[in-house]
Amino acid sequence: MKYTISQVVQALGATNATLNRADAVVSQLLTDSRSLSQPGESLFFALSTGMGNGHRYVGDLYARGVRSFVVETLEGIEVHDDANYIVTDNTLAALQRLAAHHRNRFAELPVIAITGSRGKTIVKEWLNQLLSPDYRIVRSPRSYNSQIGVALSQWNITGDTSLAIIEAGISTTGEMATLHAMIAPTMGVITCVGDEHADGFASIEQKIAEKALLLGGCSDYVYCGGNALVEQAAQASGAHACDLVVKATSPCDKGTEITYLTAGTEHSIKVPFAAPVDVENSITCLGVMVTLGIDAEVIASRMARLTSVGTRINVIEGVNNCTVIADGYTSDYNSLEPALDFVVRRTGLRPNTVIMSDLADADESAYALVAQCLAGRKVSRVLGIGPKMHSHAQDFEGLQARFFASTAQFLDEMSQGDFVDETILVKGAPGFDFDTVMDLLEAKRHQTVEEVDLNALAHNFKFFKSKVKPTTRTVAMVKASGYGAGSYEIAKTMQDRGADYLAVACQDEGVELREAGISMPIIVLNPSLVNYKAMFRYALEPEVYSMEECRELIKEGERCGVKGHPVHIKIDSGMHRLGFTYEQLPAIIELLKSQDVLRPVSVFSHLCVADEPSQDEYTLMQIDYFTRCCDALQAHYGHHLLRHILNTSGIVRFPQYQFDMVRIGVGLYGIKTVMDGSEDALQPVSSLKSVIISIKEWPAGTTIGYGRHGLLARDSRIATVTIGYADGLDRHFGNGNISVWAGGKRCPTVGNVCMDAVMIDITDTDCQVGERVEIFGNNIPVEELSDARGTIPYEILTSVSPRVKRVYYRE
């Protein structure tokens, strides 16, 4: 759908607009400069959020061809006489007004809006599978359900659309009214409502009442039941409840049979899922189909053919220094752009390759759109697999593209040597067996993996950001390879989320991040005995903690011709490890003032007992001492020196002393440092998982493992799991000292931990060979392992061996 810029001005009701190109056409709404694909037809909204200020990117986007902008001010922006500038009080509100205007152009269009705590994306995608034979559907890409995402989703509606399915997600009160105004739904769907994303609400009742606002003006609503509060709020909306009563659900061959009653008639369907959450989401979809009046036989046929939806994007180490991004989401044009956005943000200057199969349920015109999208993202190489991709090769002219009739042909003609130093997106539809493609591209095939949840990481960062003032800067600690999770993906996520600094332990970690494309400021906390030339070359900012180190930095900087290199002055306020005392400040001030190589930008210190309430007096003494040292240093400088002393515990317990900046450490990774409930909202980022490779049954009295220390007290089923102390599973964890999660239950270890294996007792579960086992993660907190070992979670996290494959994922 296209608008002229004059139509946009009219839709926004803008009174302050400079239109130097009144004939400009707008077909793309842009809120992130990294997502640019069609500059000539893009309208950029310079949003100001907690992650950054979009006004900073106006100049860069102009240089890349964008000529239409919505801004809140022209101050600091170079105004060009061939560009359009619409000035408004609030760019986000303007984006939402334009989305609402666009929706109103199609007032008769039926729109299904979906909200809830979980299941929104799955229900949306299943409804697309179920209803696409009857409608031309526009739906939210991936999980585009925020105040921004809904607006961008609405923009995809065109005159050919016969049904829209839009997700609506909220995080606090006051947000649903805005989403409702944009969506104007005709049918509302509420999935399960639970404790997820509850931080912004005073109670579950308040959260439900806010979500129920989506039903206003709807003719019908669907909710699968089980929560009286939701049902009461839904009934109060005035919409008609779905005429569906589920009589029974029972296991059947390869799935679940659902017996239901509608319009006084009983029917049954089978769905190819057994997990309770999948059955619940299936019933929600059933309710929508019943409400739409679809014939019962058609419903049964389509429900039986539902396929799973992978909501993860996995980032995996590939062969030959490649990064492989596996997108298990739907294989269609609608999901391609978000996947490419994810790739572009992680590619940097490296080439990128897209390996994709035929699109799922796409008409012939979709392939030209795919080619246009790939070209707009400047994809280096396209490898298309499948007969339809092969037959549409002409659409990809101008791209470096190669096509294969089948996955087998691809594997026969391509080798690992064809992929070197690049980022690879793998996106295949069901039936193309792309697991074999991943087998070709993955560098490590060890069955033990550490899964790193980038959504949880972003959530935890947001949690700590909410504890400090908007003007307070943040340092994300990624030392020790991101506490064992891998520094690059952690750093990239923090850069995308608006952290101000990264902090690493040593220079090599900083160099590695720079070479991987991380551009944000990086503090090096232990810079001694290093190649200072590399420190300067890679723009790494060392802490200065001693006179000797400072002299060495100055000496090497003079040799390299460095001027004004930023450094961070370390104060020893009570840790008694590194740093200057108050009495040593005159000497370091004199040295720093006598040269121009180094420029202090911050003063900081470490709290040593911020997590121990019984020692708060000592913590307050440290803060007072630090303040006096800061004042003494600041008195000698005309520019402001940033001050920071709060660590993870300090942010939560002493927010009044946040000064100019805070450092988020282990809390970023979901580890609680305060046990008073104030950090309960944190989510675990890392999960260590392995696989059962053998199961045997042994009678009571049998001994298991080295030294015969595992003596069975009963007849038992013993599983061997392919993880051992060479992977980081401490030998002290054997002989029942910890339990792991297998088959939905806790299973104790049996016998000694071996180098490459550990045995567990699965007598009380129904585990099978090949089943996944969680060592720590969502079900087994890492704190359980550290308590069993008599240590701290940091040690457990950083002890995971490099041979364990890291898999990064985002929902």
Side-chain angles (χ1 to χ4, degrees):
M1 198 71 184
K2 297 183 179 182
Y3 283 67
T4 66
I5 193 66
S6 299
Q7 289 174 321
V8 170
V9 171
Q10 184 177 4
L12 295 178
T15 58
N16 186 359
T18 302
L19 303 184
N20 294 313
R21 292 186 59 183
D23 61 338
V25 171
V26 173
S27 65
Q28 303 288 317
L29 303 186
L30 185 66
T31 61
D32 189 322
S33 62
R34 296 164 297 186
S35 301
L36 180 65
S37 62
Q38 299 182 47
E41 294 189 357
S42 291
L43 175 62
F44 177 65
F45 288 79
L47 303 179
S48 297
T49 69
M51 293 185 290
N53 187 340
H55 294 78
R56 294 164 43 196
Y57 302 100
V58 170
D60 173 65
L61 286 169
Y62 176 85
R64 294 163 63 189
V66 177
R67 291 297 180 267
S68 296
F69 304 90
V70 180
V71 298
E72 293 174 2
T73 178
L74 291 174
E75 184 178 347
I77 295 175
E78 183 180 356
V79 176
H80 298 272
D81 59 9
D82 64 340
N84 301 313
Y85 303 91
I86 302 171
V87 182
T88 182
D89 291 338
N90 186 312
T91 49
L92 175 59
L95 172 67
Q96 293 166 339
R97 284 200 305 275
L98 183 58
H101 171 86
H102 186 66
R103 164 68 177 104
N104 290 336
R105 290 185 64 178
F106 308 96
E108 302 303 315
L109 177 72
V111 176
I112 300 172
I114 307 173
T115 191
S117 297
R118 60 180 182 270
K120 297 185 293 294
T121 301
I122 297 297
V123 168
K124 177 198 66 185
E125 292 302 331
W126 281 352
L127 286 176
N128 182 66
Q129 292 181 29
L130 294 165
L131 299 176
S132 58
D134 305 314
Y135 298 92
R136 291 186 63 89
I137 298 173
V138 163
R139 68 193 195 280
S140 305
R142 296 199 77 94
S143 298
Y144 275 37
N145 56 35
S146 67
Q147 299 290 305
I148 298 171
V150 168
L152 299 179
S153 300
Q154 294 283 106
W155 187 254
N156 293 325
I157 295 172
T158 70
D160 293 332
T161 305
S162 57
L163 176 67
I165 307 175
I166 306 295
E167 288 187 50
I170 56 173
S171 58
T172 189
T173 56
E175 292 184 345
M176 187 58 84
T178 303
L179 299 184
H180 181 272
M182 285 190 283
I183 301 170
T186 56
M187 181 190 298
V189 176
I190 300 179
T191 63
C192 174
V193 178
D195 295 331
E196 297 87 345
H197 319 296
D199 296 350
F201 303 94
S203 64
I204 187 65
E205 290 83 0
Q206 186 184 63
K207 179 180 180 181
I208 290 171
E210 181 75 14
K211 287 185 177 292
L213 293 177
L214 184 66
L215 305 182
C218 291
S219 57
D220 303 279
Y221 74 87
V222 175
Y223 172 62
C224 66
N227 188 318
L229 291 173
V230 175
E231 292 179 7
Q232 182 179 356
Q235 291 169 4
S237 71
H240 294 102
C242 169
D243 179 16
L244 174 69
V245 176
V246 176
K247 304 287 287 185
T249 62
S250 56
C252 65
D253 183 38
K254 297 181 181 180
T256 301
E257 183 173 6
I258 302 170
T259 303
Y260 69 97
L261 189 69
T262 182
T265 303
E266 185 173 295
H267 307 275
S268 68
I269 60 171
K270 293 181 180 180
V271 295
F273 311 108
V277 65
D278 291 331
V279 174
E280 181 178 284
N281 289 333
S282 299
I283 292 171
T284 301
C285 294
L286 171 64
V288 172
M289 297 187 78
V290 166
T291 302
L292 290 173
I294 296 175
D295 182 78
E297 291 186 4
V298 174
I299 291 176
S301 173
R302 293 181 187 175
M303 294 289 284
R305 297 197 303 270
L306 279 176
T307 58
S308 297
V309 177
T311 57
R312 286 186 176 184
I313 291 182
N314 289 333
V315 183
I316 302 166
E317 180 185 352
V319 297
N320 304 324
N321 199 36
C322 291
T323 299
V324 181
I325 299 176
D327 183 9
Y329 200 59
T330 55
S331 181
D332 58 7
Y333 175 73
N334 189 64
S335 66
L336 179 60
E337 287 201 36
L340 288 174
D341 283 347
F342 188 82
V343 171
V344 168
R345 296 174 190 184
R346 274 154 177 78
T347 295
L349 299 177
R350 302 175 81 193
N352 51 60
T353 291
V354 173
I355 303 175
M356 63 183 299
S357 71
D358 289 348
L359 303 179
D361 300 320
D363 57 34
E364 299 301 308
S365 63
Y367 290 89
L369 293 174
V370 167
Q372 182 181 9
C373 181
L374 295 170
R377 292 299 196 284
K378 295 182 170 53
V379 170
S380 308
R381 178 173 57 157
V382 180
L383 301 175
I385 298 175
K388 290 187 178 180
M389 288 290 289
H390 196 275
S391 66
H392 283 275
Q394 71 278 3
D395 290 331
F396 294 82
E397 291 181 3
L399 287 163
Q400 182 183 341
R402 183 176 174 185
F403 298 92
F404 308 86
S406 65
T407 304
Q409 183 189 359
F410 171 87
L411 295 171
D412 188 48
E413 297 182 12
M414 301 294 289
S415 69
Q416 292 183 340
D418 294 308
F419 304 93
V420 180
D421 288 321
E422 57 188 305
T423 302
I424 307 165
L425 172 64
V426 179
K427 191 169 179 62
F432 280 87
D433 196 18
F434 264 33
D435 286 344
T436 58
V437 176
M438 291 300 299
D439 288 341
L440 173 71
L441 299 175
E442 283 189 56
K444 297 181 180 180
R445 297 188 178 88
H446 187 28
Q447 289 178 297
T448 298
V449 300
E450 181 175 0
E451 295 183 347
V452 182
D453 184 346
L454 299 178
N455 290 97
L457 183 75
H459 166 86
N460 295 339
F461 179 69
K462 182 179 179 181
F463 170 83
F464 286 106
K465 283 281 288 183
S466 72
K467 302 296 181 183
V468 298
K469 295 178 292 187
T471 54
T472 300
R473 303 186 189 191
T474 53
V475 181
M477 309 298 289
V478 294
K479 61 183 181 178
S481 189
Y483 291 77
S487 58
Y488 172 69
E489 286 298 331
I490 302 296
K492 191 71 182 71
T493 301
M494 290 298 93
Q495 182 168 280
D496 290 345
R497 291 289 167 175
D500 298 283
Y501 279 88
L502 299 173
V504 297
C506 61
Q507 176 182 285
D508 288 347
E509 291 179 344
V511 170
E512 182 180 325
L513 290 176
R514 284 284 186 253
E515 291 182 339
I518 298 299
S519 58
M520 64 189 295
I522 299 176
I523 302 173
V524 180
L525 296 176
N526 296 301
S528 61
L529 302 176
V530 298
N531 175 3
Y532 289 120
K533 289 183 180 179
M535 183 84 67
F536 297 130
R537 185 186 319 123
Y538 287 96
L540 303 176
E541 304 179 13
E543 74 168 42
V544 172
Y545 58 83
S546 72
M547 296 292 293
E548 294 77 15
E549 179 220 1
C550 189
R551 292 190 185 100
E552 284 294 318
L553 278 168
I554 293 169
K555 181 179 178 181
E556 192 60 46
E558 288 174 341
R559 289 176 180 171
C560 297
V562 172
K563 302 289 184 184
H565 191 82
V567 295
H568 304 263
I569 309 301
K570 178 72 171 288
I571 300 297
D572 184 356
S573 63
M575 178 77 79
H576 301 148
R577 183 174 60 181
L578 294 173
F580 297 98
T581 64
Y582 185 84
E583 291 73 22
Q584 294 171 322
L585 290 181
I588 187 61
I589 290 170
E590 181 180 1
L591 178 58
L592 288 171
K593 297 294 288 185
S594 68
Q595 53 80 53
D596 61 0
V597 173
L598 307 179
R599 182 177 188 268
V601 295
S602 88
V603 187
F604 74 107
S605 188
H606 281 82
L607 298 176
C608 54
V609 287
D611 58 336
E612 299 183 26
S614 64
Q615 300 201 54
D616 282 355
E617 184 177 349
Y618 191 85
T619 298
L620 293 172
M621 180 278 294
Q622 278 193 267
I623 294 171
D624 180 69
Y625 187 92
F626 172 68
T627 302
R628 289 194 292 119
C629 291
C630 289
D631 291 343
L633 278 163
Q634 185 65 73
H636 292 272
Y637 286 93
H639 67 277
H640 180 66
L641 299 176
L642 298 174
R643 306 178 181 201
H644 49 111
I645 192 171
L646 296 188
N647 54 11
T648 295
S649 303
I651 295 169
V652 175
R653 299 197 62 240
F654 300 96
Q656 67 271 35
Y657 299 111
Q658 60 192 264
F659 295 107
D660 303 299
M661 192 152 65
V662 296
R663 301 187 303 274
I664 313 173
V666 73
L668 192 61
Y669 303 89
I671 305 301
K672 300 174 186 177
T673 61
V674 180
M675 299 305 144
D676 60 1
S678 57
E679 293 180 325
D680 286 353
L682 295 178
Q683 299 175 0
V685 169
S686 295
S687 299
L688 184 61
K689 297 180 179 180
S690 195
V691 174
I692 294 174
I693 57 172
S694 173
I695 296 175
K696 294 185 177 181
E697 297 187 3
W698 300 107
T702 303
T703 58
I704 306 295
Y706 284 117
R708 302 185 64 202
H709 293 299
L711 177 63
L712 300 182
R714 61 174 179 172
D715 295 349
S716 305
R717 294 179 74 227
I718 303 299
T720 299
V721 182
T722 179
I723 183 174
Y725 57 78
D727 301 297
L729 187 67
D730 195 287
R731 292 188 72 246
H732 293 83
F733 292 152
N735 300 300
N737 287 323
I738 67 166
S739 292
V740 299
W741 189 263
K745 294 184 178 180
R746 291 174 174 269
C747 301
T749 57
V750 181
N752 289 347
V753 175
C754 309
M755 178 181 287
D756 305 301
V758 66
M759 284 67 75
I760 62 173
D761 186 343
I762 60 168
T763 307
D764 299 323
T765 72
D766 188 27
C767 292
Q768 305 298 324
V769 170
E771 195 156 330
R772 303 290 284 172
V773 175
E774 178 188 293
I775 312 303
F776 63 74
N778 289 317
N779 300 293
I780 305 290
V782 70
E783 291 90 341
E784 285 192 17
L785 276 66
S786 60
D787 289 346
R789 183 66 182 87
T791 184
I792 56 177
Y794 302 56
E795 182 177 342
I796 304 299
L797 292 173
T798 57
S799 295
V800 178
S801 168
R803 83 174 187 177
V804 172
K805 178 173 65 177
R806 270 67 172 179
V807 176
Y808 305 90
Y809 69 92
R810 183 191 81 171
E811 295 291 347

